[in-house]
Amino acid sequence: MLEELTSFYLYHLILITGELLIFITVFHMIYQRRSPVNMISWLLLMLLMPYVAVFLYFIFGSRKRKPKYKKENYSLQALADNNTEKSLLNGLLVGQGHDLPRQQFDLFTDATQANSALLDSISQAEHTICMSTYVFKFDAVTHEVINRLAERAKAGVEVRLLIDSLGSLGAYFMQHRFKALREAGAQVAFFMPVLKMPFRNYINLRNHRKIFLFDHCRVLSGGMNLSREYFGPQADPKRWQDVLFRVEGESVRDYSKIFASDWRYATHEKLTLPEREAIKTLCMHSHAGSQCDTRVQVAPSGPDLKGDVLYESLLNAIYSAVQRIWVVTPYFVPDEALTRALMIAHNRGVDVKLITPKNSNHTIADLARSSFMRELEEHGIAIHLYKGTMLHAKAVLFDQGAMLGSVNLDNRSLFLNYEVATFVASERVLGEIETWMQGLLAMSVSEPRSKSRVRRVMENFMRILAPQL
């Protein structure tokens, strides 16, 4: 009798506790003003796996976090006059500030050229090297990177390497391979270690930024991580397609501020950055005689920033476009607003193109994208499936401007990860981006979506779960 009574109370205690946790979870979603689609996807998961879903929500469900340290307000600079070249960025990025100066901007779509630019920048650094990456793999490419970083550290250069722990699990669990680099005087840190207080560290919020800073006057950024899939001294038919770019000018300080914020969160060390005028002077000496013809605006996004400036800027650019919107992204799992914006742009007569891998390196992402791609196709938007090696580049080409950086057009990049995008306006650079995209189009095919009803049901079901991917 006592055992039956104990089982009865235990059963109801578990039941009541579970219902209470679900109630708290739903209240938390309402308090955070989650979108209806996001809430429905979590509620569906709770219906299918009640207790497991609640546990997952409190690990993976957070979008924004309170900053561990007080940070400077990051304000996007606006442009004052209204000529055609500047009007795009004015429409994109509304803020306070002076005219964006023309800066040196170099685009690398070839992995060997990108590899040379990276290694040369490391070897030429005289004062500081600050590098942040999502993926770091130990291979021949990073072996050379580590050797050159160690050489500069021994020469007295301050070297800092910040790596995302989840994106680089292999490096995280084999940190002994950084021993020589650390002994040379370099600092190596991991962003939000996965095994160190995961509830405090929000392991769902990853640092997806790629920032390679040198002497606070030059930066390399884009979509390339540190591994042989992206870089290499020689051409490799298996290497991924991606983009890296170099900026020399005042905008480098914006990248420095972003890196300093991430570094402080990971290490508690506050970095002292040179003022904008000092960086301007450094840059003038570093690229004297170079072609400074590009206006650059840096737009970070992430859990540590209020609002979704990058996402809103992208939407604004889509609605402002008159001639073209060419999108290159490895993963296409947008939200409803972004999908609708592309369809409205097409209805206005804008040339909308989506270039994405025929098969990416994530099968689930490929299945999740199908419903969105089918919807765009049904509205007459051209879908181009790149049939070469993995297409990992992220870029959007508009009328008189473009967006490059680490941001995929999916919910994770737009709303969860720490990201950084760069908006550029330059006739030369836009011509280079267009030529590169034309090359991708030549290697792409357009295939109609399967009309199978079973396939449609699976795609639409994955669409419900899309906010969690």
Side-chain angles (χ1 to χ4, degrees), residues 23-186:
F23 174 80
I24 293 173
T25 303
V26 173
F27 178 80
H28 185 265
M29 285 190 287
I30 296 173
Y31 178 78
Q32 287 198 331
R33 291 182 295 189
R34 294 297 185 92
S35 68
V37 174
N38 187 281
M39 290 183 65
I40 289 172
S41 64
W42 276 111
L43 291 174
L44 177 62
L45 200 60
M46 290 178 194
L47 182 64
L48 297 175
M49 303 181 296
Y51 299 100
V52 176
V54 170
F55 175 75
L56 292 176
Y57 175 81
F58 284 103
I59 293 182
F60 299 109
S62 296
R63 262 202 66 211
K64 298 288 184 181
R65 65 169 177 80
K66 293 181 179 179
K68 189 174 182 179
Y69 302 103
K70 186 176 180 180
K71 300 180 181 180
E72 298 178 74
N73 291 325
Y74 190 91
S75 59
L76 298 172
Q77 299 174 43
L79 306 175
D81 43 36
N82 294 312
N83 62 43
T84 55
E85 186 185 30
K86 294 183 179 180
S87 61
L88 174 75
L89 290 182
N90 256 329
L92 281 172
L93 308 165
V94 179
Q96 299 296 324
H98 55 276
D99 284 346
L100 291 179
R102 296 180 185 274
Q103 303 175 60
Q104 182 178 348
F105 187 96
D106 299 297
L107 181 69
F108 303 102
T109 58
D110 179 82
T112 57
Q113 293 179 3
N115 188 73
S116 297
L118 176 64
L119 295 180
D120 289 347
S121 295
I122 293 174
S123 297
Q124 293 168 9
E126 298 179 354
H127 306 289
T128 61
I129 298 175
C130 300
M131 302 179 68
S132 175
T133 184
Y134 178 67
V135 174
F136 186 103
K137 294 182 179 180
F138 292 109
D139 53 36
V141 169
T142 54
H143 178 74
E144 180 63 21
V145 169
I146 289 176
N147 285 343
R148 296 212 182 190
L149 290 176
E151 288 177 4
R152 301 315 298 148
K154 290 177 181 178
V157 176
E158 295 181 7
V159 177
R160 296 179 179 87
L161 177 60
L162 180 61
I163 305 170
D164 186 84
S165 61
L166 189 63
S168 305
L169 275 177
Y172 176 64
F173 287 113
M174 293 188 291
Q175 294 192 42
H176 63 278
R177 301 185 69 170
F178 290 112
K179 182 179 179 181
L181 181 59
R182 284 170 165 152
E183 288 180 346

Side-chain angles (χ1 to χ4, degrees), residues 74-77 100 103 211 213 216 219 249-261 273 276 279 296-300 420:
Y74 190 91
S75 59
L76 298 172
Q77 299 174 43
L100 291 179
Q103 303 175 60
I211 300 175
L213 282 158
H216 296 296
V219 66
E250 292 182 44
S251 293
V252 175
R253 189 173 194 274
D254 297 325
Y255 292 98
S256 297
K257 288 169 63 178
I258 295 167
F259 179 88
S261 175
L273 303 178
R276 185 174 295 274
I279 289 180
V296 179
Q297 178 64 281
V298 184
V420 60

Side-chain angles (χ1 to χ4, degrees), residues 273-316:
L273 303 178
E275 295 298 323
R276 185 174 295 274
E277 287 302 317
I279 289 180
K280 184 177 180 179
T281 302
L282 287 171
C283 292
M284 288 176 63
H285 290 296
S286 70
H287 61 255
S290 301
Q291 189 175 16
C292 299
D293 61 352
T294 307
R295 299 188 186 278
V296 179
Q297 178 64 281
V298 184
S301 71
D304 55 342
L305 299 174
K306 292 182 179 179
D308 299 297
V309 176
L310 193 155
Y311 170 72
E312 293 166 4
S313 299
L314 179 59
L315 276 180
N316 194 11

